[in-house]
Amino acid sequence: MSMEFTVPSMSCQHCVNAITREVSNLPGVRQVKVDLGSKRVRVEAAPDVSPEAVAEAIREAGYDDVTLAR
């Protein structure tokens, strides 16, 4: 299952690392790709990983402005 999120407040490599680390810790997440230029986070995960759980992990990393892009 593929999900994509928009995180407008990402601004640097620290943001990329923090989001990647937090989302990667979720059980069932297979891959996390963060594109700083487009402010998007693409997640490949098992079908039982909900978009809400991924969004919450991004919030836990410190980015409250996360929205599901698709």
Short mmCIF file of all heavy atoms in Angstrom, two decimals:
data_model
loop_
_atom_site.label_atom_id
_atom_site.label_comp_id
_atom_site.label_asym_id
_atom_site.label_seq_id
_atom_site.Cartn_x
_atom_site.Cartn_y
_atom_site.Cartn_z
N MET A 1 0.84 -1.17 0.00
CA MET A 1 0.00 0.00 0.00
C MET A 1 0.89 1.23 0.00
O MET A 1 1.88 1.29 0.72
CB MET A 1 -0.88 -0.02 1.25
CG MET A 1 -1.81 1.13 1.37
SD MET A 1 -2.97 0.77 2.73
CE MET A 1 -3.24 2.37 3.32
N SER A 2 0.53 2.19 -0.84
CA SER A 2 1.31 3.41 -0.95
C SER A 2 0.49 4.60 -0.46
O SER A 2 -0.71 4.69 -0.74
CB SER A 2 1.69 3.61 -2.41
OG SER A 2 2.36 4.81 -2.58
N MET A 3 1.13 5.48 0.29
CA MET A 3 0.48 6.69 0.80
C MET A 3 1.42 7.86 0.58
O MET A 3 2.63 7.68 0.58
CB MET A 3 0.24 6.60 2.31
CG MET A 3 -0.53 5.43 2.79
SD MET A 3 -0.51 5.41 4.59
CE MET A 3 0.10 3.74 4.82
N GLU A 4 0.84 9.02 0.40
CA GLU A 4 1.68 10.20 0.25
C GLU A 4 1.10 11.34 1.09
O GLU A 4 -0.11 11.55 1.08
CB GLU A 4 1.76 10.60 -1.22
CG GLU A 4 2.88 11.59 -1.47
CD GLU A 4 3.17 11.73 -2.96
OE1 GLU A 4 3.51 10.72 -3.60
OE2 GLU A 4 3.02 12.84 -3.47
N PHE A 5 1.99 12.03 1.77
CA PHE A 5 1.60 13.12 2.66
C PHE A 5 2.32 14.39 2.27
O PHE A 5 3.43 14.34 1.76
CB PHE A 5 1.96 12.78 4.11
CG PHE A 5 1.30 11.53 4.60
CD1 PHE A 5 1.87 10.28 4.34
CD2 PHE A 5 0.11 11.59 5.29
CE1 PHE A 5 1.26 9.11 4.78
CE2 PHE A 5 -0.52 10.43 5.73
CZ PHE A 5 0.06 9.19 5.47
N THR A 6 1.68 15.51 2.54
CA THR A 6 2.30 16.81 2.36
C THR A 6 2.63 17.37 3.74
O THR A 6 1.79 17.33 4.64
CB THR A 6 1.35 17.77 1.63
OG1 THR A 6 1.00 17.20 0.37
CG2 THR A 6 2.00 19.12 1.41
N VAL A 7 3.88 17.85 3.89
CA VAL A 7 4.33 18.43 5.15
C VAL A 7 5.01 19.77 4.83
O VAL A 7 6.23 19.84 4.67
CB VAL A 7 5.29 17.49 5.90
CG1 VAL A 7 5.61 18.04 7.29
CG2 VAL A 7 4.72 16.08 6.00
N PRO A 8 4.24 20.84 4.73
CA PRO A 8 4.80 22.14 4.31
C PRO A 8 5.90 22.70 5.21
O PRO A 8 6.74 23.46 4.74
CB PRO A 8 3.59 23.06 4.31
CG PRO A 8 2.41 22.17 4.18
CD PRO A 8 2.79 20.89 4.88
N SER A 9 5.92 22.34 6.48
CA SER A 9 6.91 22.93 7.39
C SER A 9 8.29 22.26 7.32
O SER A 9 9.22 22.74 7.97
CB SER A 9 6.39 22.89 8.83
OG SER A 9 6.19 21.55 9.24
N MET A 10 8.46 21.20 6.53
CA MET A 10 9.79 20.61 6.38
C MET A 10 10.70 21.61 5.70
O MET A 10 10.32 22.21 4.70
CB MET A 10 9.75 19.35 5.50
CG MET A 10 9.12 18.17 6.10
SD MET A 10 9.43 16.66 5.15
CE MET A 10 8.77 17.08 3.53
N SER A 11 11.91 21.77 6.26
CA SER A 11 12.80 22.78 5.68
C SER A 11 14.26 22.36 5.57
O SER A 11 15.06 23.11 5.01
CB SER A 11 12.71 24.07 6.50
OG SER A 11 13.12 23.82 7.83
N CYS A 12 14.63 21.22 6.14
CA CYS A 12 16.05 20.88 6.15
C CYS A 12 16.24 19.36 6.28
O CYS A 12 15.28 18.61 6.44
CB CYS A 12 16.77 21.58 7.30
SG CYS A 12 16.20 21.04 8.91
N GLN A 13 17.51 18.94 6.26
CA GLN A 13 17.82 17.52 6.37
C GLN A 13 17.43 16.96 7.72
O GLN A 13 17.06 15.80 7.83
CB GLN A 13 19.32 17.29 6.10
CG GLN A 13 19.69 15.84 5.96
CD GLN A 13 18.97 15.15 4.78
OE1 GLN A 13 18.84 15.72 3.70
NE2 GLN A 13 18.50 13.94 5.00
N HIS A 14 17.47 17.79 8.76
CA HIS A 14 17.02 17.33 10.09
C HIS A 14 15.56 16.89 10.01
O HIS A 14 15.19 15.86 10.58
CB HIS A 14 17.17 18.44 11.12
CG HIS A 14 16.48 18.12 12.41
ND1 HIS A 14 16.99 17.25 13.33
CD2 HIS A 14 15.28 18.52 12.89
CE1 HIS A 14 16.15 17.14 14.34
NE2 HIS A 14 15.10 17.91 14.10
N CYS A 15 14.73 17.65 9.31
CA CYS A 15 13.31 17.31 9.15
C CYS A 15 13.18 15.96 8.44
O CYS A 15 12.39 15.10 8.84
CB CYS A 15 12.58 18.38 8.34
SG CYS A 15 12.70 20.05 8.98
N VAL A 16 13.94 15.78 7.39
CA VAL A 16 13.91 14.54 6.62
C VAL A 16 14.27 13.36 7.52
O VAL A 16 13.58 12.34 7.55
CB VAL A 16 14.88 14.61 5.41
CG1 VAL A 16 15.00 13.25 4.73
CG2 VAL A 16 14.43 15.69 4.44
N ASN A 17 15.34 13.53 8.29
CA ASN A 17 15.81 12.44 9.16
C ASN A 17 14.79 12.14 10.26
O ASN A 17 14.53 10.98 10.57
CB ASN A 17 17.16 12.79 9.78
CG ASN A 17 18.26 12.86 8.75
OD1 ASN A 17 18.14 12.33 7.64
ND2 ASN A 17 19.33 13.54 9.09
N ALA A 18 14.23 13.17 10.86
CA ALA A 18 13.27 12.99 11.96
C ALA A 18 12.02 12.26 11.48
O ALA A 18 11.54 11.32 12.13
CB ALA A 18 12.90 14.33 12.58
N ILE A 19 11.49 12.67 10.34
CA ILE A 19 10.28 12.03 9.81
C ILE A 19 10.59 10.60 9.38
O ILE A 19 9.82 9.68 9.67
CB ILE A 19 9.70 12.87 8.67
CG1 ILE A 19 9.11 14.16 9.23
CG2 ILE A 19 8.64 12.08 7.89
CD1 ILE A 19 8.69 15.17 8.20
N THR A 20 11.70 10.42 8.69
CA THR A 20 12.06 9.07 8.24
C THR A 20 12.19 8.12 9.43
O THR A 20 11.66 7.01 9.41
CB THR A 20 13.36 9.10 7.44
OG1 THR A 20 13.18 9.95 6.30
CG2 THR A 20 13.77 7.71 6.97
N ARG A 21 12.87 8.56 10.46
CA ARG A 21 13.09 7.72 11.64
C ARG A 21 11.76 7.39 12.33
O ARG A 21 11.48 6.23 12.63
CB ARG A 21 14.03 8.43 12.61
CG ARG A 21 14.38 7.64 13.85
CD ARG A 21 15.42 8.33 14.74
NE ARG A 21 15.19 9.75 14.92
CZ ARG A 21 15.93 10.73 14.35
NH1 ARG A 21 16.94 10.43 13.59
NH2 ARG A 21 15.65 11.99 14.58
N GLU A 22 10.92 8.38 12.55
CA GLU A 22 9.66 8.17 13.28
C GLU A 22 8.72 7.26 12.50
O GLU A 22 8.13 6.33 13.06
CB GLU A 22 8.99 9.52 13.55
CG GLU A 22 7.92 9.46 14.60
CD GLU A 22 8.46 9.27 16.01
OE1 GLU A 22 9.57 9.71 16.30
OE2 GLU A 22 7.75 8.64 16.81
N VAL A 23 8.57 7.50 11.21
CA VAL A 23 7.64 6.69 10.40
C VAL A 23 8.18 5.27 10.21
O VAL A 23 7.43 4.30 10.25
CB VAL A 23 7.34 7.37 9.05
CG1 VAL A 23 6.48 6.48 8.17
CG2 VAL A 23 6.66 8.72 9.27
N SER A 24 9.49 5.14 10.04
CA SER A 24 10.10 3.82 9.86
C SER A 24 9.91 2.92 11.07
O SER A 24 9.95 1.69 10.94
CB SER A 24 11.59 3.95 9.56
OG SER A 24 11.79 4.58 8.33
N ASN A 25 9.72 3.51 12.23
CA ASN A 25 9.52 2.72 13.45
C ASN A 25 8.13 2.09 13.55
O ASN A 25 7.92 1.22 14.39
CB ASN A 25 9.76 3.58 14.69
CG ASN A 25 11.24 3.80 14.93
OD1 ASN A 25 12.08 3.02 14.50
ND2 ASN A 25 11.57 4.89 15.61
N LEU A 26 7.20 2.50 12.70
CA LEU A 26 5.87 1.91 12.72
C LEU A 26 5.94 0.48 12.19
O LEU A 26 6.50 0.25 11.10
CB LEU A 26 4.90 2.71 11.85
CG LEU A 26 4.45 4.06 12.36
CD1 LEU A 26 3.61 4.76 11.29
CD2 LEU A 26 3.65 3.92 13.65
N PRO A 27 5.35 -0.48 12.90
CA PRO A 27 5.30 -1.85 12.37
C PRO A 27 4.56 -1.90 11.04
O PRO A 27 3.50 -1.29 10.89
CB PRO A 27 4.53 -2.62 13.45
CG PRO A 27 4.64 -1.78 14.68
CD PRO A 27 4.74 -0.36 14.22
N GLY A 28 5.14 -2.59 10.07
CA GLY A 28 4.51 -2.74 8.76
C GLY A 28 4.97 -1.74 7.72
O GLY A 28 4.67 -1.90 6.54
N VAL A 29 5.70 -0.72 8.13
CA VAL A 29 6.22 0.26 7.17
C VAL A 29 7.43 -0.34 6.48
O VAL A 29 8.36 -0.82 7.13
CB VAL A 29 6.57 1.59 7.85
CG1 VAL A 29 7.35 2.50 6.91
CG2 VAL A 29 5.30 2.29 8.31
N ARG A 30 7.41 -0.35 5.15
CA ARG A 30 8.49 -0.97 4.37
C ARG A 30 9.51 0.04 3.85
O ARG A 30 10.69 -0.26 3.73
CB ARG A 30 7.88 -1.73 3.20
CG ARG A 30 6.99 -2.86 3.64
CD ARG A 30 6.38 -3.58 2.46
NE ARG A 30 5.50 -4.64 2.93
CZ ARG A 30 4.29 -4.85 2.47
NH1 ARG A 30 3.81 -4.13 1.48
NH2 ARG A 30 3.55 -5.81 2.96
N GLN A 31 9.00 1.23 3.50
CA GLN A 31 9.90 2.23 2.91
C GLN A 31 9.34 3.63 3.15
O GLN A 31 8.12 3.84 3.05
CB GLN A 31 10.06 1.97 1.42
CG GLN A 31 11.08 2.87 0.75
CD GLN A 31 11.28 2.49 -0.71
OE1 GLN A 31 10.30 2.31 -1.44
NE2 GLN A 31 12.51 2.35 -1.12
N VAL A 32 10.23 4.56 3.42
CA VAL A 32 9.85 5.97 3.60
C VAL A 32 10.75 6.80 2.70
O VAL A 32 11.97 6.70 2.78
CB VAL A 32 10.02 6.42 5.07
CG1 VAL A 32 9.62 7.88 5.23
CG2 VAL A 32 9.23 5.52 6.01
N LYS A 33 10.16 7.60 1.85
CA LYS A 33 10.92 8.51 1.00
C LYS A 33 10.43 9.92 1.25
O LYS A 33 9.23 10.20 1.08
CB LYS A 33 10.75 8.16 -0.48
CG LYS A 33 11.42 6.89 -0.88
CD LYS A 33 11.34 6.67 -2.38
CE LYS A 33 12.08 5.41 -2.77
NZ LYS A 33 12.00 5.17 -4.22
N VAL A 34 11.34 10.78 1.64
CA VAL A 34 10.99 12.16 1.93
C VAL A 34 11.62 13.05 0.86
O VAL A 34 12.82 13.01 0.65
CB VAL A 34 11.48 12.59 3.33
CG1 VAL A 34 11.11 14.04 3.60
CG2 VAL A 34 10.91 11.66 4.40
N ASP A 35 10.79 13.82 0.17
CA ASP A 35 11.26 14.76 -0.86
C ASP A 35 11.14 16.16 -0.29
O ASP A 35 10.04 16.72 -0.22
CB ASP A 35 10.44 14.60 -2.13
CG ASP A 35 10.94 15.50 -3.24
OD1 ASP A 35 11.69 16.47 -2.96
OD2 ASP A 35 10.57 15.27 -4.40
N LEU A 36 12.27 16.70 0.11
CA LEU A 36 12.28 18.02 0.74
C LEU A 36 11.81 19.11 -0.22
O LEU A 36 11.10 20.04 0.17
CB LEU A 36 13.69 18.32 1.26
CG LEU A 36 13.87 19.53 2.15
CD1 LEU A 36 12.97 19.46 3.37
CD2 LEU A 36 15.33 19.62 2.59
N GLY A 37 12.17 18.98 -1.49
CA GLY A 37 11.80 19.99 -2.48
C GLY A 37 10.31 20.14 -2.66
O GLY A 37 9.77 21.25 -2.74
N SER A 38 9.62 19.01 -2.72
CA SER A 38 8.16 19.06 -2.92
C SER A 38 7.40 19.02 -1.60
O SER A 38 6.17 19.11 -1.60
CB SER A 38 7.72 17.89 -3.80
OG SER A 38 7.90 16.65 -3.12
N LYS A 39 8.13 18.85 -0.49
CA LYS A 39 7.53 18.78 0.86
C LYS A 39 6.60 17.58 0.99
O LYS A 39 5.57 17.65 1.64
CB LYS A 39 6.76 20.06 1.20
CG LYS A 39 7.49 21.33 0.91
CD LYS A 39 8.41 21.68 2.03
CE LYS A 39 8.98 23.09 1.81
NZ LYS A 39 10.03 23.39 2.70
N ARG A 40 6.97 16.47 0.34
CA ARG A 40 6.11 15.29 0.36
C ARG A 40 6.84 14.10 0.99
O ARG A 40 8.05 13.96 0.87
CB ARG A 40 5.68 14.93 -1.05
CG ARG A 40 4.70 15.98 -1.57
CD ARG A 40 3.99 15.50 -2.78
NE ARG A 40 2.97 16.48 -3.13
CZ ARG A 40 1.73 16.16 -3.41
NH1 ARG A 40 1.34 14.92 -3.42
NH2 ARG A 40 0.86 17.10 -3.71
N VAL A 41 6.04 13.25 1.63
CA VAL A 41 6.52 12.02 2.25
C VAL A 41 5.76 10.87 1.64
O VAL A 41 4.53 10.81 1.72
CB VAL A 41 6.30 12.04 3.78
CG1 VAL A 41 6.78 10.73 4.40
CG2 VAL A 41 7.00 13.24 4.42
N ARG A 42 6.48 9.96 1.00
CA ARG A 42 5.85 8.79 0.39
C ARG A 42 6.18 7.57 1.25
O ARG A 42 7.34 7.34 1.59
CB ARG A 42 6.36 8.60 -1.03
CG ARG A 42 5.71 7.45 -1.76
CD ARG A 42 6.20 7.39 -3.20
NE ARG A 42 5.67 6.26 -3.89
CZ ARG A 42 4.49 6.22 -4.52
NH1 ARG A 42 3.75 7.31 -4.54
NH2 ARG A 42 4.07 5.14 -5.11
N VAL A 43 5.15 6.80 1.57
CA VAL A 43 5.31 5.65 2.46
C VAL A 43 4.76 4.41 1.79
O VAL A 43 3.64 4.41 1.29
CB VAL A 43 4.57 5.89 3.80
CG1 VAL A 43 4.69 4.68 4.71
CG2 VAL A 43 5.11 7.14 4.49
N GLU A 44 5.57 3.37 1.77
CA GLU A 44 5.13 2.04 1.34
C GLU A 44 4.97 1.21 2.60
O GLU A 44 5.90 1.13 3.41
CB GLU A 44 6.17 1.39 0.42
CG GLU A 44 6.43 2.14 -0.86
CD GLU A 44 5.26 2.12 -1.83
OE1 GLU A 44 4.46 1.16 -1.78
OE2 GLU A 44 5.14 3.07 -2.61
N ALA A 45 3.79 0.61 2.75
CA ALA A 45 3.52 -0.12 3.99
C ALA A 45 2.56 -1.27 3.75
O ALA A 45 1.88 -1.33 2.71
CB ALA A 45 2.93 0.83 5.03
N ALA A 46 2.48 -2.16 4.72
CA ALA A 46 1.52 -3.26 4.69
C ALA A 46 0.10 -2.68 4.71
O ALA A 46 -0.11 -1.56 5.20
CB ALA A 46 1.75 -4.16 5.90
N PRO A 47 -0.88 -3.42 4.19
CA PRO A 47 -2.25 -2.91 4.12
C PRO A 47 -2.86 -2.55 5.47
O PRO A 47 -3.77 -1.72 5.54
CB PRO A 47 -3.03 -4.06 3.48
CG PRO A 47 -2.01 -4.87 2.78
CD PRO A 47 -0.73 -4.71 3.54
N ASP A 48 -2.36 -3.14 6.54
CA ASP A 48 -2.95 -2.83 7.85
C ASP A 48 -2.39 -1.56 8.50
O ASP A 48 -2.81 -1.19 9.59
CB ASP A 48 -2.79 -4.02 8.79
CG ASP A 48 -1.33 -4.38 9.05
OD1 ASP A 48 -0.49 -4.10 8.18
OD2 ASP A 48 -1.06 -4.94 10.11
N VAL A 49 -1.48 -0.89 7.83
CA VAL A 49 -0.96 0.39 8.34
C VAL A 49 -1.88 1.50 7.83
O VAL A 49 -2.02 1.70 6.63
CB VAL A 49 0.49 0.64 7.89
CG1 VAL A 49 0.97 2.00 8.36
CG2 VAL A 49 1.41 -0.47 8.39
N SER A 50 -2.49 2.20 8.75
CA SER A 50 -3.45 3.23 8.35
C SER A 50 -2.76 4.56 8.07
O SER A 50 -1.73 4.88 8.68
CB SER A 50 -4.49 3.43 9.45
OG SER A 50 -3.91 4.08 10.56
N PRO A 51 -3.34 5.36 7.17
CA PRO A 51 -2.81 6.69 6.93
C PRO A 51 -2.81 7.55 8.20
O PRO A 51 -1.92 8.36 8.41
CB PRO A 51 -3.76 7.27 5.88
CG PRO A 51 -4.33 6.08 5.20
CD PRO A 51 -4.42 5.02 6.25
N GLU A 52 -3.79 7.32 9.06
CA GLU A 52 -3.86 8.07 10.31
C GLU A 52 -2.66 7.77 11.21
O GLU A 52 -2.12 8.66 11.86
CB GLU A 52 -5.16 7.76 11.05
CG GLU A 52 -6.41 8.26 10.36
CD GLU A 52 -6.86 7.36 9.20
OE1 GLU A 52 -6.40 6.19 9.11
OE2 GLU A 52 -7.65 7.84 8.37
N ALA A 53 -2.25 6.49 11.24
CA ALA A 53 -1.09 6.12 12.06
C ALA A 53 0.19 6.77 11.53
O ALA A 53 1.03 7.23 12.31
CB ALA A 53 -0.93 4.60 12.09
N VAL A 54 0.32 6.82 10.21
CA VAL A 54 1.50 7.45 9.62
C VAL A 54 1.48 8.95 9.89
O VAL A 54 2.49 9.54 10.28
CB VAL A 54 1.58 7.16 8.11
CG1 VAL A 54 2.75 7.92 7.48
CG2 VAL A 54 1.72 5.66 7.86
N ALA A 55 0.32 9.57 9.72
CA ALA A 55 0.21 11.01 9.99
C ALA A 55 0.54 11.31 11.45
O ALA A 55 1.22 12.30 11.75
CB ALA A 55 -1.20 11.50 9.64
N GLU A 56 0.10 10.46 12.35
CA GLU A 56 0.40 10.66 13.77
C GLU A 56 1.90 10.54 14.03
O GLU A 56 2.47 11.29 14.82
CB GLU A 56 -0.38 9.67 14.63
CG GLU A 56 -0.22 9.88 16.11
CD GLU A 56 -0.63 11.28 16.59
OE1 GLU A 56 -1.55 11.87 15.99
OE2 GLU A 56 -0.01 11.78 17.55
N ALA A 57 2.56 9.61 13.36
CA ALA A 57 4.02 9.47 13.51
C ALA A 57 4.73 10.72 13.01
O ALA A 57 5.71 11.18 13.62
CB ALA A 57 4.51 8.24 12.75
N ILE A 58 4.24 11.30 11.92
CA ILE A 58 4.84 12.54 11.42
C ILE A 58 4.63 13.66 12.43
O ILE A 58 5.53 14.47 12.69
CB ILE A 58 4.27 12.89 10.03
CG1 ILE A 58 4.72 11.82 9.00
CG2 ILE A 58 4.72 14.28 9.58
CD1 ILE A 58 4.06 11.93 7.65
N ARG A 59 3.44 13.71 13.03
CA ARG A 59 3.19 14.71 14.08
C ARG A 59 4.12 14.49 15.27
O ARG A 59 4.63 15.45 15.85
CB ARG A 59 1.73 14.65 14.52
CG ARG A 59 0.77 15.21 13.51
CD ARG A 59 -0.66 15.26 14.05
NE ARG A 59 -1.58 15.42 12.96
CZ ARG A 59 -2.26 14.42 12.38
NH1 ARG A 59 -2.19 13.20 12.85
NH2 ARG A 59 -3.04 14.66 11.35
N GLU A 60 4.33 13.22 15.64
CA GLU A 60 5.24 12.90 16.75
C GLU A 60 6.66 13.37 16.46
O GLU A 60 7.41 13.70 17.38
CB GLU A 60 5.24 11.39 17.01
CG GLU A 60 4.01 10.88 17.71
CD GLU A 60 3.90 11.36 19.15
OE1 GLU A 60 4.91 11.41 19.84
OE2 GLU A 60 2.77 11.71 19.56
N ALA A 61 7.03 13.40 15.18
CA ALA A 61 8.35 13.90 14.80
C ALA A 61 8.43 15.42 14.91
O ALA A 61 9.50 15.99 14.77
CB ALA A 61 8.69 13.45 13.37
N GLY A 62 7.27 16.07 15.13
CA GLY A 62 7.27 17.52 15.33
C GLY A 62 6.64 18.33 14.22
O GLY A 62 6.80 19.55 14.17
N TYR A 63 5.89 17.67 13.34
CA TYR A 63 5.33 18.37 12.18
C TYR A 63 3.81 18.22 12.17
O TYR A 63 3.26 17.24 11.65
CB TYR A 63 5.97 17.84 10.89
CG TYR A 63 7.46 17.97 10.97
CD1 TYR A 63 8.24 16.94 11.47
CD2 TYR A 63 8.08 19.17 10.64
CE1 TYR A 63 9.61 17.07 11.61
CE2 TYR A 63 9.45 19.32 10.79
CZ TYR A 63 10.20 18.26 11.27
OH TYR A 63 11.55 18.42 11.42
N ASP A 64 3.14 19.20 12.75
CA ASP A 64 1.68 19.14 12.91
C ASP A 64 0.91 19.46 11.64
O ASP A 64 -0.29 19.23 11.58
CB ASP A 64 1.23 20.10 14.01
CG ASP A 64 1.69 19.63 15.39
OD1 ASP A 64 1.86 18.41 15.57
OD2 ASP A 64 1.87 20.49 16.26
N ASP A 65 1.57 20.01 10.65
CA ASP A 65 0.86 20.45 9.45
C ASP A 65 0.77 19.36 8.37
O ASP A 65 0.62 19.66 7.20
CB ASP A 65 1.50 21.71 8.87
CG ASP A 65 2.97 21.50 8.52
OD1 ASP A 65 3.57 20.51 8.97
OD2 ASP A 65 3.50 22.35 7.79
N VAL A 66 0.81 18.12 8.77
CA VAL A 66 0.76 17.00 7.82
C VAL A 66 -0.66 16.79 7.29
O VAL A 66 -1.63 16.86 8.03
CB VAL A 66 1.30 15.71 8.47
CG1 VAL A 66 0.51 15.33 9.70
CG2 VAL A 66 1.31 14.56 7.48
N THR A 67 -0.76 16.57 5.97
CA THR A 67 -2.04 16.22 5.35
C THR A 67 -1.82 15.07 4.38
O THR A 67 -0.75 14.95 3.76
CB THR A 67 -2.66 17.40 4.58
OG1 THR A 67 -1.73 17.87 3.61
CG2 THR A 67 -3.04 18.54 5.51
N LEU A 68 -2.82 14.23 4.26
CA LEU A 68 -2.77 13.11 3.32
C LEU A 68 -2.94 13.67 1.91
O LEU A 68 -3.92 14.34 1.61
CB LEU A 68 -3.87 12.10 3.64
CG LEU A 68 -3.90 10.84 2.77
CD1 LEU A 68 -2.63 10.02 2.93
CD2 LEU A 68 -5.12 10.00 3.14
N ALA A 69 -1.94 13.42 1.05
CA ALA A 69 -2.00 13.93 -0.32
C ALA A 69 -2.76 12.96 -1.21
O ALA A 69 -3.47 13.37 -2.13
CB ALA A 69 -0.59 14.16 -0.86
N ARG A 70 -2.61 11.66 -0.99
CA ARG A 70 -3.35 10.63 -1.74
C ARG A 70 -3.14 9.28 -1.13
O ARG A 70 -2.27 9.05 -0.40
CB ARG A 70 -2.98 10.61 -3.20
CG ARG A 70 -1.51 10.33 -3.46
CD ARG A 70 -1.25 10.27 -4.93
NE ARG A 70 0.20 10.40 -5.13
CZ ARG A 70 0.84 9.86 -6.09
NH1 ARG A 70 0.21 9.17 -6.99
NH2 ARG A 70 2.12 10.01 -6.24
#
